[in-house]
Each structure stands twice: as structure tokens, then as C-alpha cells.
Amino acid sequence: MGVLCHCTECRKMTSSAFSTNVVIPVSEYTIHGSPKNYTFTRGDEKHITSFCGECGTTISKIVEGIDKFKGLVVVQAGTLNEGEGLDNLKVDTELYVKNRADWVKQIDGATQVDTA
């Protein structure tokens, strides 16, 4: 599932207007190397963000406290190998659309959600 997130934290982590993500089951996720983690909370939510300790690239997030993310990992689409990421991504959902930059247009056919 492809998800754009317009929340303030994702905008800051990606230095962009939104983050582009692929949401997959944790059981199908493998990361190589030794990433570092940064954790932030938003209300009852806990976001455990993994990033490369060498270059600082954000790799993925585990979100706790939101039932629909249980057992899933949110992977930054730009970190996936060719053919697995951006080229074949269909964005199904946009999150935190209330924070969307005015100049960013909504994705036709994607579910629009004010929060997560």
C-alpha cells in the first residue's frame, strides 16, 4: 500500500512537503546493517523511526498506538531497490491532509484522511 503523509514530523524528517511510504507487514521486512533509531510521541502514538547511521537517510517507521498500523512497517519508498519503490507505487491513501502544503495537489483516487 502506498501512503503519502503530510504530518509535520514526516515533513521535517524528509525535508520535503510530505513523505512517500510503502506500508508492508513486519514479517516481510528485512533491513541490512545497523540502523539507528529516533522515537517521538504524538498523543498516544509512538513512532520508532530507523535511519542509516552512516548517511542519516530515514529508512522506516514502526507506529505503536494506532490499531491500523499494528504488525506493519512504514518504509520510505525512496530507499527500496529499483522496481520495488517509486516506479511501481500506487498511492492509496494520504494522511494528515489538513497539513498538506497549499501547492501540493491531492492524488486522484487516494483516500484523504485528516489524521492517521
Side-chain angles (χ1 to χ4, degrees):
M1 169 172 50
V3 176
L4 296 187
C5 184
H6 301 275
C7 80
T8 303
E9 290 83 0
C10 281
R11 289 166 69 164
K12 289 180 180 180
M13 275 190 282
T14 61
S15 299
S16 184
F18 52 86
S19 64
T20 307
N21 309 284
V22 178
V23 181
I24 60 173
V26 171
S27 61
E28 295 179 19
Y29 180 67
T30 303
I31 189 167
H32 302 282
S34 301
K36 296 188 183 284
N37 293 318
Y38 168 74
T39 301
F40 69 88
T41 58
R42 178 175 42 223
D44 293 335
E45 302 170 20
K46 180 178 179 181
H47 299 252
I48 305 163
T49 305
S50 296
F51 62 95
C52 177
E54 298 296 317
C55 71
T57 298
T58 303
I59 302 167
S60 62
K61 285 192 289 278
I62 300 288
V63 181
E64 297 175 354
I66 301 178
D67 287 342
K68 65 181 162 187
F69 285 105
K70 187 173 184 154
L72 301 172
V73 62
V74 180
V75 181
Q76 295 299 126
T79 65
L80 298 173
N81 292 329
E82 188 175 320
E84 297 174 337
L86 295 174
D87 294 338
N88 299 315
L89 183 65
K90 179 186 180 307
V91 175
D92 304 298
T93 306
E94 291 189 70
L95 302 176
Y96 288 92
V97 296
K98 64 183 182 178
N99 297 74
R100 181 186 3 245
D102 292 340
W103 52 269
V104 175
K105 305 296 183 219
Q106 84 177 42
I107 303 292
D108 288 337
T111 301
Q112 305 293 302
V113 182
D114 280 338
T115 59

